[in-house]
Amino acid sequence: GAGVSQSPSNKVTEKGKDVELRCDPISGHTALYWYRQSLGQGLEFLIYFQGNSAPDKSGLPSDRFSAERTGGSVSTLTIQRTQQEDSAVYLCASSLEQFPDTQYFGPGTRLTVL
Amino acid sequence: DQQVKQNSPSLSVQEGRISILNCDYTNSMFDYFLWYKKYPAEGPTFLISISSIKDKNEDGRFTVFLNKSAKHLSLHIVPSQPGDSAVYFCAAYQGAQKLVFGQGTRLTINP
């Protein structure tokens, strides 16, 4: 079956603009995660969804970041008033169940803020 | 505060030899660990995992060792193959949902 897909694969935007990143998890996976990887860094947890609810938003860097998930499937990560430090690869992962199930990652969206 | 650390940013190994990638962690509450492999422009791919109730888990050419007292785990790849060239991330579950990742080690297998 299809893996986790993300769109767009690349996004270049100007500082101050809003961006929306999309994640389509593996069909049937109830858990969905967002991470980001800044240049030269490991992956940093942003937010986790179980179904449509987000029990853990602890990793969101600021209130400019928000995410939602609808229908227990597609998720959107929105960054408002983007800043240059938001430039990173944003990765989405999904898993069938919660811990300790394996998280399967999408290819990521490379965001560049000029 | 880096709770999962991969202190070697890169490692070069000859084809056919053993590759050993190391990972240290600071949080004694971590009880489930995973290794992911990442090729350029792709998302990380799950490789192998280990629960803290074990000290070794093996899957084909890949073996993960866990030393809880030292808060250290390692991934052994033998024999190493050119297709193993990638960035390897060590990760630990914090709580029931969040994976905490190390910075990654770039492994290069030389023919």
Side-chain angles (χ1 to χ4, degrees), chain B residues 10-39:
Chain B
S10 62
L11 176 67
S12 188
V13 174
Q14 193 172 358
E15 182 178 359
R17 300 289 183 101
I18 184 171
S19 295
I20 300 176
L21 298 115
N22 293 303
C23 178
D24 296 294
Y25 61 95
T26 58
N27 190 337
S28 58
M29 299 301 291
F30 289 157
D31 58 4
Y32 198 84
F33 303 88
L34 305 91
W35 282 94
Y36 280 83
K37 173 179 175 180
K38 186 179 185 302
Y39 292 118

Side-chain angles (χ1 to χ4, degrees), chain B residues 35-88:
Chain B
W35 282 94
Y36 280 83
K37 173 179 175 180
K38 186 179 185 302
Y39 292 118
E42 295 183 11
T45 303
F46 170 73
L47 205 52
I48 193 168
S49 62
I50 188 166
S51 164
S52 60
I53 62 174
K54 294 185 173 182
D55 55 17
K56 176 183 174 181
N57 189 25
E58 191 172 352
D59 184 3
R61 296 186 297 114
F62 302 91
T63 303
V64 56
F65 295 91
L66 175 62
N67 182 333
K68 285 183 63 179
S69 60
K71 296 192 182 72
H72 177 84
L73 65 156
S74 61
L75 174 68
H76 292 209
I77 307 172
V78 56
S80 300
Q81 299 174 354
D84 296 330
S85 294
V87 177
Y88 289 79

Side-chain angles (χ1 to χ4, degrees), chain A residues 33 35 37 40-45 48 55-56 58-59 91 95 98-108, chain B residues 2 31-32 34 36 38 41-46 49 87 89 93-104:
Chain A
Y33 312 79
Y35 296 85
Q37 184 180 16
Q41 302 295 315
L43 280 73
E44 173 192 4
F45 171 82
Y48 152 75
D56 189 347
S58 63
L91 289 152
S95 67
Q98 292 187 48
F99 169 90
D101 196 39
T102 301
Q103 296 183 22
Y104 295 89
F105 283 81
Chain B
Q2 191 73 31
D31 58 4
Y32 198 84
L34 305 91
Y36 280 83
K38 186 179 185 302
E42 295 183 11
T45 303
F46 170 73
S49 62
V87 177
F89 289 97
Y93 261 107
Q94 181 174 16
Q97 305 96 14
K98 183 163 63 177
L99 276 176
V100 179
F101 284 83
Q103 308 96 308

Side-chain angles (χ1 to χ4, degrees), chain A residues 5-85:
Chain A
S5 61
Q6 292 185 245
S7 60
S9 56
N10 278 286
K11 177 71 177 178
V12 180
T13 190
E14 292 179 350
K15 179 181 171 181
K17 295 284 181 70
D18 298 351
V19 295
E20 213 170 75
L21 312 179
R22 177 187 167 107
C23 171
D24 282 273
I26 293 172
S27 177
H29 280 195
T30 58
L32 186 146
Y33 312 79
W34 283 98
Y35 296 85
R36 75 175 175 182
Q37 184 180 16
S38 302
L39 190 63
Q41 302 295 315
L43 280 73
E44 173 192 4
F45 171 82
L46 298 178
I47 189 170
Y48 152 75
F49 286 92
Q50 181 59 34
N52 291 334
S53 64
D56 189 347
K57 304 179 183 180
S58 63
L60 292 178
S62 74
D63 58 8
R64 296 185 296 104
F65 287 72
S66 63
E68 64 174 15
R69 188 180 186 195
T70 54
S73 181
V74 171
S75 176
T76 304
L77 177 69
T78 302
I79 310 172
Q80 296 178 309
R81 305 180 303 282
T82 51
Q83 303 294 313
Q84 288 183 333
E85 61 263 28

